Coordinates of all heavy atoms in Angstrom, one line a residue:
M1 N 232.7 -70.3 -124.8 CA 231.3 -70.4 -124.4 C 231.1 -70.1 -123.0 O 229.9 -70.0 -122.4 CB 230.8 -71.8 -124.7 CG 230.6 -72.1 -126.1 SD 229.7 -73.7 -126.5 CE 229.6 -74.8 -125.1
G2 N 232.1 -69.6 -122.3 CA 232.0 -69.2 -120.8 C 231.5 -67.7 -120.8 O 231.1 -67.0 -121.6
T3 N 231.4 -67.4 -119.5 CA 230.9 -66.0 -119.2 C 232.1 -65.1 -118.8 O 231.8 -63.9 -118.3 CB 230.0 -66.1 -118.1 OG1 230.5 -66.7 -116.9 CG2 228.7 -66.9 -118.3
R4 N 233.3 -65.4 -119.0 CA 234.4 -64.6 -118.5 C 234.2 -63.2 -119.3 O 234.0 -63.2 -120.5 CB 235.7 -65.3 -119.0 CG 236.9 -64.5 -118.6 CD 238.1 -65.3 -118.8 NE 238.0 -66.6 -118.2 CZ 239.0 -67.3 -117.7 NH1 240.2 -67.0 -118.0 NH2 238.8 -68.4 -117.1
G5 N 234.4 -62.2 -118.6 CA 234.4 -60.9 -119.1 C 233.0 -60.3 -119.1 O 232.9 -59.1 -119.5
R6 N 232.0 -60.9 -118.8 CA 230.7 -60.4 -118.7 C 230.4 -60.0 -117.3 O 230.5 -60.8 -116.4 CB 229.7 -61.5 -119.2 CG 229.7 -61.8 -120.8 CD 228.7 -62.8 -121.2 NE 227.5 -62.5 -120.6 CZ 226.4 -63.4 -120.3 NH1 226.6 -64.7 -120.8 NH2 225.3 -63.1 -119.9
P7 N 230.0 -58.8 -117.1 CA 229.9 -58.4 -115.7 C 228.7 -59.1 -115.0 O 228.7 -59.3 -113.9 CB 229.4 -56.9 -115.8 CG 229.1 -56.7 -117.3 CD 229.8 -57.7 -118.0
D8 N 227.7 -59.7 -115.8 CA 226.5 -60.3 -115.2 C 226.7 -61.9 -115.2 O 225.8 -62.6 -114.9 CB 225.2 -59.9 -115.9 CG 225.3 -60.3 -117.4 OD1 226.3 -60.5 -118.0 OD2 224.1 -60.4 -117.9
G9 N 227.9 -62.3 -115.6 CA 228.1 -63.7 -115.9 C 228.3 -64.5 -114.6 O 228.9 -63.9 -113.8
A10 N 227.5 -65.6 -114.4 CA 227.6 -66.4 -113.3 C 228.6 -67.6 -113.5 O 228.7 -68.0 -114.6 CB 226.2 -66.9 -112.9
D11 N 229.2 -68.0 -112.5 CA 230.1 -69.2 -112.6 C 229.2 -70.4 -112.5 O 228.2 -70.4 -111.7 CB 231.0 -69.2 -111.5 CG 232.1 -68.1 -111.5 OD1 232.4 -67.7 -112.7 OD2 232.7 -67.7 -110.4
Y12 N 229.5 -71.5 -113.1 CA 228.8 -72.5 -113.2 C 229.7 -73.7 -113.7 O 230.5 -73.6 -114.4 CB 227.4 -72.5 -113.9 CG 227.6 -72.1 -115.4 CD1 227.8 -73.1 -116.4 CD2 227.6 -70.7 -115.8 CE1 228.1 -72.6 -117.8 CE2 227.8 -70.4 -117.1 CZ 228.0 -71.4 -118.1 OH 228.2 -71.0 -119.5
A13 N 229.2 -75.0 -113.3 CA 229.9 -76.2 -114.0 C 228.8 -76.8 -114.9 O 227.5 -76.6 -114.7 CB 230.0 -77.3 -112.9
M14 N 229.2 -77.1 -116.1 CA 228.3 -77.6 -117.0 C 228.6 -78.9 -117.8 O 229.7 -79.0 -118.3 CB 228.3 -76.4 -118.3 CG 227.3 -76.8 -119.4 SD 227.3 -75.6 -120.6 CE 228.9 -76.0 -121.7
P15 N 227.7 -79.9 -117.5 CA 228.2 -81.2 -118.1 C 227.9 -81.0 -119.7 O 227.0 -80.2 -120.1 CB 227.1 -82.1 -117.5 CG 225.8 -81.2 -117.2 CD 226.5 -80.0 -116.8
S16 N 228.7 -81.7 -120.3 CA 228.7 -81.7 -121.8 C 228.7 -83.0 -122.4 O 229.3 -83.9 -121.8 CB 230.0 -81.0 -122.5 OG 229.9 -79.5 -121.9
F17 N 227.8 -83.2 -123.4 CA 227.5 -84.5 -124.0 C 228.0 -84.5 -125.5 O 227.7 -83.6 -126.2 CB 226.1 -84.9 -123.8 CG 225.7 -84.8 -122.4 CD1 225.1 -83.6 -121.9 CD2 225.8 -85.9 -121.5 CE1 224.6 -83.6 -120.6 CE2 225.5 -85.8 -120.3 CZ 224.8 -84.5 -119.8
I18 N 228.6 -85.6 -126.0 CA 229.0 -85.8 -127.4 C 227.8 -86.3 -128.1 O 227.0 -87.2 -127.5 CB 230.2 -86.6 -127.5 CG1 230.8 -86.5 -128.9 CG2 230.0 -88.0 -127.1 CD1 232.1 -87.2 -129.2
S19 N 227.6 -86.0 -129.2 CA 226.5 -86.4 -130.1 C 227.1 -86.7 -131.5 O 228.0 -86.0 -132.0 CB 225.3 -85.3 -130.1 OG 224.4 -85.6 -131.1
S20 N 226.5 -87.6 -132.2 CA 226.9 -87.8 -133.6 C 226.4 -86.6 -134.4 O 227.0 -86.4 -135.5 CB 226.3 -89.1 -134.2 OG 224.9 -89.1 -134.1
D21 N 225.4 -85.9 -133.9 CA 224.9 -84.7 -134.7 C 224.4 -83.7 -133.8 O 223.3 -83.7 -133.3 CB 223.8 -85.0 -135.7 CG 223.5 -83.9 -136.6 OD1 223.6 -82.8 -136.3 OD2 222.7 -84.2 -137.6
A22 N 225.3 -82.8 -133.3 CA 224.9 -81.7 -132.3 C 223.8 -80.8 -132.7 O 222.9 -80.5 -132.0 CB 226.0 -80.8 -131.9
T23 N 223.7 -80.6 -134.1 CA 222.6 -79.7 -134.5 C 221.3 -80.4 -134.5 O 220.2 -79.7 -134.0 CB 222.8 -79.2 -135.9 OG1 224.2 -78.5 -136.0 CG2 221.8 -78.3 -136.5
A24 N 221.2 -81.6 -134.8 CA 219.9 -82.4 -134.7 C 219.7 -82.5 -133.2 O 218.4 -82.5 -132.8 CB 220.1 -83.7 -135.3
A25 N 220.6 -82.9 -132.4 CA 220.3 -83.0 -130.9 C 219.9 -81.5 -130.3 O 218.9 -81.6 -129.4 CB 221.6 -83.4 -130.1
D26 N 220.3 -80.5 -130.7 CA 219.8 -79.2 -130.3 C 218.3 -79.1 -130.6 O 217.6 -78.6 -129.8 CB 220.6 -78.0 -131.0 CG 221.8 -77.7 -130.4 OD1 222.2 -78.5 -129.4 OD2 222.5 -76.7 -130.6
T27 N 218.0 -79.4 -131.8 CA 216.6 -79.3 -132.3 C 215.7 -80.2 -131.5 O 214.6 -79.8 -131.0 CB 216.5 -79.8 -133.8 OG1 217.3 -78.9 -134.6 CG2 215.0 -79.7 -134.2
A28 N 216.2 -81.4 -131.2 CA 215.4 -82.4 -130.3 C 215.2 -81.9 -128.9 O 214.2 -81.9 -128.3 CB 216.0 -83.7 -130.2
A29 N 216.3 -81.2 -128.4 CA 216.3 -80.6 -126.9 C 215.3 -79.4 -127.1 O 214.5 -79.3 -126.0 CB 217.6 -80.1 -126.5
Q30 N 215.3 -78.7 -128.1 CA 214.3 -77.5 -128.1 C 212.9 -78.0 -128.1 O 212.1 -77.4 -127.5 CB 214.5 -76.6 -129.3 CG 215.8 -75.8 -129.2 CD 216.1 -74.9 -130.4 OE1 215.4 -74.0 -130.6 NE2 217.1 -75.3 -131.2
E31 N 212.6 -79.1 -128.9 CA 211.3 -79.6 -129.0 C 210.8 -80.2 -127.6 O 209.6 -80.3 -127.3 CB 211.3 -80.8 -130.1 CG 211.3 -80.2 -131.4 CD 211.7 -81.2 -132.6 OE1 211.7 -82.4 -132.2 OE2 211.6 -80.8 -133.7
A32 N 211.8 -80.6 -126.8 CA 211.5 -81.1 -125.5 C 211.5 -80.0 -124.4 O 211.3 -80.2 -123.3 CB 212.5 -82.1 -125.0
G33 N 211.6 -78.7 -124.7 CA 211.5 -77.6 -124.0 C 212.8 -76.9 -123.6 O 212.7 -75.9 -122.8
A34 N 214.0 -77.3 -124.0 CA 215.2 -76.7 -123.7 C 215.3 -75.3 -124.6 O 214.7 -75.1 -125.6 CB 216.4 -77.3 -124.0
R35 N 216.0 -74.4 -124.0 CA 216.4 -73.2 -124.7 C 217.9 -73.0 -125.1 O 218.7 -73.3 -124.2 CB 215.9 -71.9 -123.7 CG 216.2 -70.6 -124.4 CD 215.6 -69.5 -123.5 NE 216.3 -69.6 -122.3 CZ 217.1 -68.8 -121.8 NH1 217.4 -67.6 -122.3 NH2 217.6 -68.9 -120.5
V36 N 218.0 -72.7 -126.3 CA 219.5 -72.7 -126.8 C 220.1 -71.2 -126.3 O 219.5 -70.3 -126.6 CB 219.6 -72.8 -128.3 CG1 221.1 -72.5 -128.8 CG2 219.1 -74.1 -128.7
E37 N 221.2 -71.3 -125.6 CA 221.9 -70.1 -125.2 C 222.9 -69.7 -126.2 O 223.2 -68.5 -126.3 CB 222.4 -70.3 -123.8 CG 221.4 -70.4 -122.7 CD 222.0 -70.4 -121.3 OE1 223.3 -71.1 -121.1 OE2 221.5 -69.8 -120.5
Y38 N 223.6 -70.7 -126.8 CA 224.6 -70.4 -127.8 C 224.7 -71.6 -128.8 O 224.6 -72.7 -128.3 CB 226.0 -70.6 -126.9 CG 227.2 -70.5 -127.7 CD1 227.8 -69.2 -128.2 CD2 227.9 -71.5 -128.1 CE1 228.9 -69.2 -129.0 CE2 229.0 -71.5 -128.9 CZ 229.5 -70.4 -129.3 OH 230.6 -70.4 -130.1
G39 N 224.9 -71.1 -130.0 CA 225.2 -72.2 -131.0 C 223.8 -72.7 -131.6 O 222.7 -72.2 -131.5
P40 N 223.9 -73.8 -132.3 CA 225.1 -74.6 -132.6 C 226.1 -73.8 -133.5 O 225.6 -73.2 -134.5 CB 224.7 -75.8 -133.3 CG 223.3 -75.6 -133.9 CD 222.8 -74.5 -132.9
E41 N 227.3 -73.8 -133.2 CA 228.3 -73.1 -134.1 C 229.5 -74.1 -134.3 O 229.9 -74.8 -133.4 CB 228.7 -71.9 -133.2 CG 229.8 -71.0 -134.0 CD 229.9 -69.7 -133.4 OE1 229.1 -69.0 -133.0 OE2 231.1 -69.4 -133.3
A42 N 230.0 -74.0 -135.5 CA 231.1 -74.9 -135.9 C 232.4 -74.1 -135.7 O 232.5 -73.0 -136.1 CB 231.0 -75.4 -137.2
T43 N 233.6 -74.7 -135.3 CA 234.7 -74.1 -135.1 C 235.4 -74.4 -136.5 O 235.0 -75.1 -137.3 CB 235.6 -74.9 -134.1 OG1 235.8 -76.2 -134.4 CG2 235.0 -74.7 -132.7
P44 N 236.5 -73.6 -136.8 CA 237.2 -73.8 -138.1 C 237.5 -75.2 -138.4 O 237.6 -75.7 -139.6 CB 238.4 -72.9 -138.0 CG 238.0 -71.8 -137.0 CD 237.2 -72.6 -135.9
D45 N 237.8 -76.1 -137.4 CA 238.2 -77.4 -137.6 C 237.0 -78.4 -137.7 O 237.1 -79.6 -137.9 CB 239.2 -78.0 -136.7 CG 238.7 -78.1 -135.3 OD1 237.6 -77.6 -135.0 OD2 239.5 -78.7 -134.4
G46 N 235.8 -77.9 -137.6 CA 234.5 -78.7 -137.8 C 233.8 -79.2 -136.6 O 232.7 -79.8 -136.6
L47 N 234.5 -78.8 -135.3 CA 233.8 -79.3 -134.2 C 232.5 -78.4 -134.0 O 232.6 -77.3 -134.1 CB 234.7 -79.1 -132.8 CG 234.2 -79.3 -131.6 CD1 234.1 -80.9 -131.4 CD2 235.2 -78.8 -130.4
V48 N 231.4 -79.0 -133.7 CA 230.1 -78.3 -133.5 C 229.7 -78.2 -132.0 O 229.7 -79.2 -131.3 CB 229.0 -78.8 -134.3 CG1 227.8 -78.1 -134.1 CG2 229.2 -78.9 -135.7
L49 N 229.5 -77.0 -131.4 CA 229.3 -76.7 -130.0 C 227.9 -76.1 -129.9 O 227.6 -75.2 -130.6 CB 230.4 -75.9 -129.4 CG 231.8 -76.3 -129.6 CD1 232.8 -75.1 -129.5 CD2 232.2 -77.4 -128.7
S50 N 227.3 -76.3 -128.7 CA 226.1 -75.5 -128.3 C 226.0 -75.5 -126.8 O 226.6 -76.5 -126.1 CB 224.9 -76.0 -129.0 OG 224.7 -77.3 -128.8
R51 N 225.4 -74.5 -126.2 CA 225.0 -74.7 -124.8 C 223.4 -74.4 -124.8 O 223.0 -73.5 -125.3 CB 225.8 -73.5 -124.2 CG 225.5 -73.4 -122.7 CD 226.3 -72.2 -122.0 NE 225.8 -71.0 -122.5 CZ 226.7 -70.0 -122.7 NH1 228.0 -70.1 -122.6 NH2 226.2 -68.8 -123.2
L52 N 222.9 -75.2 -124.0 CA 221.4 -75.2 -123.7 C 221.0 -75.1 -122.3 O 221.8 -75.3 -121.4 CB 220.8 -76.4 -124.3 CG 221.0 -76.6 -125.8 CD1 222.1 -77.6 -126.1 CD2 219.8 -77.1 -126.5
L53 N 219.9 -74.7 -122.1 CA 219.3 -74.5 -120.8 C 218.0 -75.3 -120.8 O 217.0 -75.1 -121.4 CB 218.9 -73.0 -120.4 CG 218.5 -72.6 -119.1 CD1 219.7 -73.1 -117.9 CD2 218.1 -71.3 -118.9
A54 N 218.0 -76.3 -119.8 CA 216.9 -77.3 -119.7 C 215.7 -76.6 -119.1 O 215.8 -75.5 -118.3 CB 217.2 -78.6 -118.9
P55 N 214.4 -77.1 -119.3 CA 213.3 -76.4 -118.7 C 213.3 -76.1 -117.1 O 212.8 -75.2 -116.6 CB 212.1 -77.4 -118.9 CG 212.6 -78.2 -120.3 CD 214.1 -78.2 -120.0
R56 N 214.1 -77.0 -116.5 CA 214.2 -76.8 -115.0 C 215.5 -76.0 -114.5 O 215.9 -75.8 -113.5 CB 214.4 -78.2 -114.4 CG 213.1 -78.9 -114.3 CD 213.0 -80.0 -113.4 NE 211.6 -80.5 -113.2 CZ 211.3 -81.3 -112.4 NH1 212.2 -81.7 -111.5 NH2 210.1 -81.7 -112.2
G57 N 216.2 -75.4 -115.6 CA 217.2 -74.4 -115.4 C 218.6 -75.0 -115.3 O 219.5 -74.2 -115.1
N58 N 218.7 -76.3 -115.7 CA 220.1 -76.8 -115.7 C 220.7 -76.6 -117.1 O 220.1 -76.9 -118.1 CB 219.9 -78.5 -115.5 CG 219.4 -78.8 -114.1 OD1 220.1 -78.2 -113.2 ND2 218.4 -79.5 -114.0
R59 N 221.9 -76.0 -116.9 CA 222.7 -75.8 -118.3 C 223.5 -77.0 -118.7 O 224.0 -77.7 -117.9 CB 223.6 -74.6 -118.0 CG 224.3 -74.0 -119.0 CD 225.0 -72.7 -118.6 NE 224.0 -71.6 -118.7 CZ 223.7 -71.0 -117.7 NH1 224.1 -71.2 -116.4 NH2 222.9 -70.0 -117.7
F60 N 223.5 -77.2 -120.0 CA 224.3 -78.3 -120.5 C 224.8 -78.0 -121.9 O 224.2 -77.1 -122.6 CB 223.6 -79.8 -120.6 CG 222.3 -79.8 -121.4 CD1 222.4 -80.5 -122.7 CD2 221.0 -79.2 -121.1 CE1 221.3 -80.4 -123.6 CE2 220.0 -79.2 -121.8 CZ 220.1 -79.8 -123.2
G61 N 225.9 -78.7 -122.3 CA 226.5 -78.5 -123.6 C 226.4 -79.8 -124.5 O 226.3 -80.8 -124.0
L62 N 226.4 -79.6 -125.7 CA 226.3 -80.6 -126.6 C 227.4 -80.3 -127.7 O 227.7 -79.2 -128.0 CB 225.0 -80.7 -127.5 CG 223.8 -81.0 -126.8 CD1 222.6 -80.8 -127.5 CD2 223.9 -82.5 -126.1
F63 N 228.0 -81.3 -128.2 CA 229.1 -81.2 -129.2 C 229.2 -82.4 -130.0 O 228.9 -83.4 -129.7 CB 230.6 -80.8 -128.6 CG 231.1 -81.9 -127.8 CD1 232.1 -82.7 -128.5 CD2 231.0 -82.1 -126.5 CE1 232.7 -83.7 -127.6 CE2 231.6 -83.1 -125.8 CZ 232.5 -83.8 -126.4
S64 N 229.7 -82.2 -131.2 CA 230.0 -83.3 -132.2 C 231.2 -83.0 -132.9 O 231.7 -81.9 -133.0 CB 228.8 -83.4 -133.3 OG 228.6 -82.3 -134.0
M65 N 231.9 -84.1 -133.1 CA 233.2 -84.0 -133.7 C 233.3 -83.8 -135.1 O 232.3 -84.0 -135.7 CB 233.9 -85.5 -133.4 CG 233.9 -85.9 -131.9 SD 234.9 -84.8 -130.9 CE 236.5 -85.0 -131.5
P66 N 234.3 -83.2 -135.6 CA 234.4 -83.0 -137.1 C 234.1 -84.2 -137.8 O 234.4 -85.3 -137.4 CB 235.9 -82.5 -137.3 CG 236.4 -82.0 -136.0 CD 235.6 -82.9 -134.9
T67 N 233.5 -84.0 -138.9 CA 233.3 -85.2 -140.0 C 234.6 -85.9 -140.2 O 235.5 -85.3 -140.5 CB 232.6 -84.8 -141.2 OG1 231.5 -84.0 -140.8 CG2 232.3 -85.9 -142.2
G68 N 234.6 -87.2 -140.1 CA 235.8 -88.0 -140.4 C 236.7 -88.2 -139.2 O 237.7 -88.8 -139.2
S69 N 236.3 -87.7 -138.0 CA 237.0 -87.9 -136.8 C 236.6 -89.2 -136.0 O 235.6 -89.6 -136.1 CB 236.8 -86.8 -135.9 OG 237.3 -85.7 -136.3

């Protein structure tokens, strides 16, 4: 989810938060004005990840653990 290899990519620190359902949390964040930059996308082992941009420009991540973890 980083910007490595992108010529226009900026360096940044991004707080990330665990959620019981990252997809539902993404939807709620969008309803509150956030913009999804990436995801939600599941890894092969079931971890769900997304990167969002809050209305004031703060980037943050959401993730949820695989089912059964």
